[in-house]
Amino acid sequence: MNDYTTTSRPRSSLKPVLFAVLASFLLGASVVGYLAWRGFFVPGVASPAPAPTEQAPLAGPPARPVPSETAAAAVARVQETQGGLDQRLAAAEQRIARLDLQAQAAGGNAARAEGLLIAFAARRALERGSELGYLADQLRLRFGDAQPNAVQTVLDFAGNPVTRDVLVARLDGLQPSLERGSGRPSLSRLGEELSNMFVIRRETTPSPQPERRFQRARMFLESGRVDKAMAEVRLLPGSLNAAQWLADASRYERAQRALELIETAAVQEPRTLRNGAGQPVEQLSPAVAATPAAQ
C-alpha cells in the first residue's frame, strides 16, 4: 500500500491585511470629520472661480484721474503758451516789415544816388565837349518820365556841344567889333550917342562904357553866369555882330538849366523817377520833408 505523504501549504492569513485597510479607512474618516468640524469644507457651496486680472502695463504705473483743478491749470498753461506764441509771431512779422521797409528805402536811395551820378557824369561830358554815349540811354531810362523836356534839351545840345572855354575865346575875338559897332551912321546910333553925352547915374551903378561892359560880360562868362554875360553883350554897340555867339551861349545856358532840373529830380522827384532796370522808385528821398499826403 502506497503511502502518500500529503504536504499542506500553509495558508496566508488575511486578517492583518483587512485590519490595516480598516485602520486606514477609519483614520481617513477621522481626518475628514475633523476637517469638516473645523470648517474647511462647506457642503453644497462651490468655491468661486478667481476673477481674471488684467496684466499691468510695463511702461509705468497706471494713470491716475486728473482732478478738475489740474485740468483747468493745464488749459490755462496751454492758453498762455498759445498767447505767447502769437505775440512772438506778431513781433516777428513787425521785424520783417521793418526790414522790408529798410530794404525798400536802401534800394530807393541807391537808385537816386545812381541817377545823380549819371547826371553829374553827363554834365562833365558836356563841359568837355564829349559825346554822352551810354549816358544818353541812362538819361532817357531814368529821367525820361520825370523830366522829358530837360532830357531832350541835353541830348540836342550833346549833338552839337559847345564848351565855356570856346565861348570865352570867341567872345575875346568879337571884342573889337562889339565895342565899336558897325561904324555906319544911323538915327538909332545918333540917338545913342546923344544919350550918352550927359549921363547921371549913381556911383554904384555899373559903367555903360563898352570897354567896362565887355569886361563884365567876360567875367560873368568865366564864372558860369552865362545869362548875365549875354545880357551885357546885348547892350554893347556891336551886339549884332555876336548873333551866332549869343545863339550858342543860349544853347549852353539851356543845357545847364536842363542838367540842374535832372539833378534836382534825382534827389526830390517822388514818383516818376526810375532805376537802372526801368522800375519806378517809390521810396521818397530823405531830402524831402515827409507830408501827410506823401505818407
Side-chain angles (χ1 to χ4, degrees), residues 6-72:
T6 304
T7 305
S8 60
R9 293 167 37 181
R11 282 183 179 178
S12 59
S13 177
L14 296 176
K15 291 181 179 181
V17 176
L18 294 175
F19 182 78
V21 171
L22 182 61
S24 299
F25 178 77
L26 293 175
L27 180 61
S30 301
V31 170
V32 171
Y34 177 77
L35 292 176
W37 178 72
R38 296 295 293 179
F40 286 95
F41 297 102
V42 179
V45 179
S47 60
T53 58
E54 295 182 359
Q55 187 177 2
L58 301 177
R64 296 180 179 179
V66 181
S68 58
E69 294 81 1
T70 307

Side-chain angles (χ1 to χ4, degrees), residues 2 17 40 49 54 78 88-89 128 174 199 206 212 236 250 292:
N2 294 332
V17 176
F40 286 95
E54 295 182 359
V78 171
R88 288 193 293 271
L89 289 176
R128 294 192 304 266
L174 293 172
V199 178
R212 298 293 182 85
L236 288 170
S250 179

Side-chain angles (χ1 to χ4, degrees), residues 70-87:
T70 307
V75 172
R77 285 196 299 271
V78 171
Q79 292 178 352
E80 183 179 358
T81 304
Q82 184 69 24
L85 180 61
D86 293 340
Q87 292 179 357

Side-chain angles (χ1 to χ4, degrees), residues 53-196:
T53 58
E54 295 182 359
Q55 187 177 2
L58 301 177
R64 296 180 179 179
V66 181
S68 58
E69 294 81 1
T70 307
V75 172
R77 285 196 299 271
V78 171
Q79 292 178 352
E80 183 179 358
T81 304
Q82 184 69 24
L85 180 61
D86 293 340
Q87 292 179 357
R88 288 193 293 271
L89 289 176
E93 291 177 355
Q94 292 178 359
R95 287 195 295 270
I96 293 174
R98 286 197 298 269
L99 291 175
D100 189 15
L101 290 177
Q102 292 175 1
Q104 292 180 1
N109 293 334
R112 292 181 182 277
E114 291 173 357
L116 193 59
L117 290 177
I118 292 296
F120 287 163
R123 180 183 290 276
R124 288 195 300 270
L126 294 182
E127 289 177 351
R128 294 192 304 266
S130 306
E131 295 182 356
L132 292 179
Y134 74 95
L135 295 176
D137 297 333
Q138 288 293 319
L139 289 175
R140 293 192 189 97
L141 176 63
R142 295 175 182 270
F143 304 100
D145 294 338
Q147 294 291 338
N149 295 332
V151 172
Q152 190 61 41
T153 299
V154 171
L155 297 180
D156 293 343
F157 180 78
N160 185 20
V162 59
T163 63
R164 192 167 58 188
D165 296 338
V166 172
L167 291 176
V168 172
R170 289 171 57 184
L171 183 62
D172 290 340
L174 293 172
Q175 181 179 3
S177 60
L178 289 174
E179 292 178 354
R180 290 194 306 267
S182 61
R184 292 177 296 179
S186 61
L187 294 178
S188 60
R189 179 64 177 174
L190 180 60
E192 183 179 354
E193 292 292 340
L194 292 175
S195 63
N196 290 332

